[in-house]
Amino acid sequence: MANKPILVVMAAGMGSRYGGLKQIDPVGPSGEAILDYSLYDARRAGFETVVFIIKHEIEQAFREAVGARAVHAGFAVRYAYQQLEKLPEGFSVPEGRVKPWGTAHAILVAEEAIGDAPFAVINADDYYGPQGFRLIYDYLSTHADGDKYAWSMVGFLLGNTVSANGSVSRGVCVTDEQGNLVSVTERTCIEPYEGGIHYTEDGGATWQDLLANTVVSMNLWGFTPGYIAEAKAGFAAFLQQNLPVNPLKCEYYLPSVVTAALQQDKADVHVLTSADKWHGITYREDKPELVEALRQMSAQGLYPTDRLF
């Protein structure tokens, strides 16, 4: 492949429910952040270039805490900045708007840094495990656009992603017989209970069960450059539709671009399933579980027992 796959890390957001800058919060035995583990796993999988999407406001802390370690790990490091004023011609930031424009907008601001390479996208504050990075790198390295965009997604088993400390939102995936994505349905209140896992859409008045092996999206995607073209084409229409009704909080989400491409039969999105346990820190109480899991994985030899880099 002429252009090797690169890794794109969305790190511009702040964790509102957890509080603080989760992207650089230490969780490893030597002060590693969650993102350090993703970088370690991605580098082992074959990625050599990383693009960090951040805000200027966190740039110094981020470069010192994460960027320097990525360089030390052998990555070529690029930065892109998700700022509110980066909008299509004819649009301006509504008065009082402080919320970022969403994950699809994050990819748009990284267009120059990504260039014409295929790319994987991850959240900075999620632990995905090694298998997902191997799957997505191998797929991006061996597939190119044909009649349709050749996109991909690493799905995780729902039972490996829920939190014992509160409800979570997950994108529940439906695939066809070829393993291609048909739809992603966002379920915003999923909780484990003694008999299994269930979700509610009416504030807890009724609950529906979900199987633990249900495949869900955790925002580990693989794209060709066509994704940027599709996101750019849809952004102005999104703003025209949503700014009049929700000027301060509307967001242009990455999966919405995928959904539009699927509906228009422009893309095949192959779902690759990882058996690794996903970890995140949705709630403060999730952190001790992650810290212990990483300690155990280091003890088992999955990661170095001293510093990763």
Side-chain angles (χ1 to χ4, degrees):
M1 173 170 282
N3 293 299
K4 294 192 68 174
I6 65 176
L7 180 67
V8 176
V9 180
M10 296 187 293
M14 302 288 281
S16 58
R17 281 188 289 181
Y18 174 59
L21 189 58
K22 288 192 291 186
Q23 292 88 340
I24 57 176
D25 192 41
V27 294
S30 298
E32 296 89 352
I34 291 177
L35 182 49
D36 289 326
Y37 287 90
S38 291
L39 293 172
Y40 184 85
D41 289 334
R43 190 70 185 86
R44 285 194 293 181
F47 290 96
E48 297 176 354
T49 300
V50 59
V51 176
F52 292 121
I53 304 171
I54 61 175
K55 291 188 295 188
H56 283 299
E57 293 85 340
I58 68 170
E59 180 173 4
Q60 181 176 350
F62 192 92
R63 282 178 179 265
E64 292 173 356
V66 179
R69 293 207 284 269
V71 171
H72 187 63
F75 279 100
V77 178
R78 305 170 187 169
Y79 289 90
Y81 303 95
Q82 188 176 15
Q83 303 300 123
L84 284 175
E85 65 273 12
K86 292 188 177 182
L87 293 171
E89 186 175 352
F91 292 92
S92 59
V93 180
E95 184 177 355
R97 172 95 189 199
V98 296
K99 192 175 188 64
W101 291 110
T103 48
H105 177 255
I107 303 303
L108 286 179
V109 304
E111 178 181 8
E112 184 176 340
I114 294 171
D116 58 357
F119 59 100
V121 181
I122 65 168
N123 295 331
D125 49 6
D126 292 341
Y127 171 84
Y128 294 98
Q131 187 180 16
F133 290 100
R134 291 195 298 267
L135 289 169
I136 205 76
Y137 183 86
D138 290 347
Y139 194 88
L140 290 171
S141 298
T142 55
H143 292 77
D145 292 341
D147 294 338
K148 299 180 183 181
Y149 297 126
W151 297 347
S152 51
M153 184 201 81
V154 174
F156 288 77
L157 304 179
L158 176 63
N160 287 336
T161 75
V162 292
S163 171
N165 301 304
S167 64
V168 296
S169 296
R170 298 289 180 260
V172 177
C173 300
V174 175
T175 58
D176 63 18
E177 294 179 353
Q178 288 74 45
N180 290 323
L181 187 67
V182 175
S183 64
V184 180
T185 303
E186 191 73 12
R187 302 299 185 192
T188 57
C189 188
I190 300 175
E191 297 180 359
Y193 69 103
E194 187 175 348
I197 303 171
H198 57 188
Y199 72 92
T200 181
E201 294 184 331
D202 53 16
T206 59
W207 293 84
Q208 299 290 324
D209 277 0
L210 288 168
L211 296 176
N213 65 353
T214 299
V215 175
V216 296
S217 168
M218 302 307 298
N219 272 346
L220 175 44
W221 297 90
F223 294 121
T224 59
Y227 179 88
I228 296 174
E230 293 297 318
K232 186 183 297 184
F235 191 30
F238 167 85
L239 292 171
Q240 288 173 341
Q241 179 179 348
N242 289 277
L243 282 180
V245 295
N246 193 9
L248 301 185
K249 293 187 177 181
C250 63
E251 292 185 72
Y252 190 39
Y253 291 116
L254 183 155
S256 69
V257 179
V258 175
T259 297
L262 289 175
Q263 290 174 343
Q264 297 167 37
D265 202 27
K266 290 183 174 182
D268 284 328
V269 183
H270 194 67
V271 177
L272 312 158
T273 303
S274 172
D276 285 341
K277 183 169 174 56
W278 174 95
H279 289 276
I281 305 180
T282 304
Y283 303 97
R284 282 193 178 275
E285 295 81 4
D286 293 331
K287 182 177 177 179
E289 178 184 343
L290 172 58
V291 170
E292 176 59 20
L294 292 171
R295 187 195 66 78
Q296 291 182 11
M297 284 186 276
S298 295
Q300 294 164 2
L302 186 59
Y303 297 108
T305 54
D306 51 3
R307 299 194 67 85
L308 292 178
F309 311 126

